[in-house]
């Protein structure tokens, strides 16, 4: 009778662990989808501005999150299969992939946090130079488009102010057509509207585009860092209970 009770208890324990692992795997899979979504959202929202950033750390962090999220989704399906079929080999592979994913997400989160710390200094050093030296020059169409989108999206003009454009190679050239700022500085964009830099015609955002872009990127870097580190810690702590 005692032997039967022990066997019955073992069966119940196996069933309990099976469903516990199943529930964990479901939340693990949802977390992976969330991580991947944050990475895709980050690149989609900021793809127009990546060309004017000196460092590729921002984009790398987003790509790592997308890769990690994709791996989580695939691993999640492996976990479901391992639970249903009760295959020990699949479970071993599953937990090995958990560790790998933890490390990948942790790296992405740390990279995002580190870049967040030096974001302001990079923008101050690089954005003004990009505006003055690369805007509307041959072979720099991607940068020109990024700057135009930046000024229109954030309703700003110039790195620190509209006067930054006075040193621009484009504005100083005959190609500018007597413009004092690019047309993308205008509140209502029309051909050669950049000839007038009066506040009624162009954006005069306090702190210029640097302040706007820095806050925008900082918010997303914090989200990327929190998601990467937070989900990785959740994933490495949960399996201990299963």
């Amino acid at each position: 009778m005692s032997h039967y009770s022990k066997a019955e208890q073992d069966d119940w324990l196996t069933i309990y662990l099976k469903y516990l692992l199943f529930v964990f795997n479901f939340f693990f899979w949802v977390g992976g989808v969330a991580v991947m979504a944050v990475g895709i959202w980050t690149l989609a929202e900021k793809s127009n501005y990546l060309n004017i950033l000196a460092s590729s750390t921002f984009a790398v962090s987003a790509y790592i999150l997308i890769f990690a999220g994709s791996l989580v989704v695939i691993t999640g399906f492996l976990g479901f299969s391992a639970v249903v079929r009760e295959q020990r080999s699949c479970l071993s592979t599953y937990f090995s992939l958990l560790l790998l994913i933890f490390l990948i997400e942790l790296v992405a989160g740390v990279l995002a946090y580190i870049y967040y710390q030096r974001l302001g200094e990079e923008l101050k050093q690089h954005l003004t130079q990009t505006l003055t030296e690369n805007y509307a020059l041959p072979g720099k169409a991607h940068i020109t488009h990024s700057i135009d989108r930046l000024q229109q999206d954030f309703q700003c003009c110039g790195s620190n102010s509209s006067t930054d454009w006075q040193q621009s190679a484009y504005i100083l050239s005959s190609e500018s057509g007597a413009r004092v700022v690019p047309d993308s500085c205008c509140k209502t964009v029309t051909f050669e509207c950049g000839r007038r830099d009066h506040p009624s015609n162009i954006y005069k955002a306090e702190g210029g585009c640097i302040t706007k872009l820095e806050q925008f990127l900082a918010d997303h870097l914090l989200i990327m860092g929190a998601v990467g580190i937070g989900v990785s810690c959740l994933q490495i702590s949960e399996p201990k209970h299963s």
Side-chain angles (χ1 to χ4, degrees), residues 163-179:
T163 58
D164 292 333
W165 286 107
Q166 294 176 4
Q167 306 301 319
S168 168
Y170 165 69
I171 295 299
L172 295 174
S173 71
S174 58
E175 296 294 325
S176 67
R179 292 177 177 86

Side-chain angles (χ1 to χ4, degrees), residues 91-143:
L91 284 173
S92 299
T93 304
Y94 173 72
F95 286 115
S96 297
L97 287 173
L98 276 185
L99 179 60
L100 175 62
I101 291 166
F102 161 73
L103 295 174
I104 292 174
E105 290 176 341
L106 189 62
V107 167
V110 171
L111 280 176
Y113 180 75
I114 291 174
Y115 189 53
Y116 170 78
Q117 298 296 312
R118 57 188 183 87
L119 176 62
E121 190 60 33
E122 176 184 312
L123 287 177
K124 290 175 184 176
Q125 292 179 353
H126 188 71
L127 188 56
T128 301
Q129 180 181 1
T130 301
L131 263 63
T132 57
E133 297 181 5
N134 296 312
Y135 184 84
L137 295 183
K140 303 292 183 180
H142 59 296
I143 293 179

Side-chain angles (χ1 to χ4, degrees), residues 224-235:
M224 289 168 64
V227 169
I229 295 175
V231 174
S232 66
C233 291
L234 176 64
Q235 290 171 355

Side-chain angles (χ1 to χ4, degrees), residues 114-242:
I114 291 174
Y115 189 53
Y116 170 78
Q117 298 296 312
R118 57 188 183 87
L119 176 62
E121 190 60 33
E122 176 184 312
L123 287 177
K124 290 175 184 176
Q125 292 179 353
H126 188 71
L127 188 56
T128 301
Q129 180 181 1
T130 301
L131 263 63
T132 57
E133 297 181 5
N134 296 312
Y135 184 84
L137 295 183
K140 303 292 183 180
H142 59 296
I143 293 179
T144 302
H145 175 71
S146 295
I147 294 173
D148 286 339
R149 282 295 306 271
L150 173 69
Q151 295 190 139
Q152 280 294 299
D153 289 351
F154 294 116
Q155 299 183 351
C156 58
C157 183
S159 180
N160 296 286
S161 70
S162 59
T163 58
D164 292 333
W165 286 107
Q166 294 176 4
Q167 306 301 319
S168 168
Y170 165 69
I171 295 299
L172 295 174
S173 71
S174 58
E175 296 294 325
S176 67
R179 292 177 177 86
V180 290
V181 294
D183 292 343
S184 58
C185 281
C186 299
K187 295 178 180 179
T188 301
V189 178
T190 58
F191 182 65
E192 293 187 342
C193 63
R195 289 185 173 186
R196 292 179 59 247
D197 60 355
H198 191 273
S200 64
N201 184 52
I202 68 170
Y203 293 115
K204 293 280 188 178
E206 184 177 351
C209 293
I210 280 183
T211 302
K212 298 267 191 173
L213 182 59
E214 181 179 2
Q215 185 59 53
F216 184 68
L217 294 178
D219 290 344
H220 284 76
L221 283 168
L222 283 177
I223 293 174
M224 289 168 64
V227 169
I229 295 175
V231 174
S232 66
C233 291
L234 176 64
Q235 290 171 355
I236 204 64
S237 62
E238 286 295 330
K240 294 178 181 178
H241 301 292
S242 57

Side-chain angles (χ1 to χ4, degrees), residues 35-56:
V35 167
M36 184 168 58
V38 168
I40 294 173
W41 168 65
T42 297
L43 288 180
E45 283 285 305
K46 265 134 325 285
S47 60
N48 290 307
Y49 312 134
L50 295 179
N51 290 319
I52 55 180
L53 297 178
S55 173
S56 60

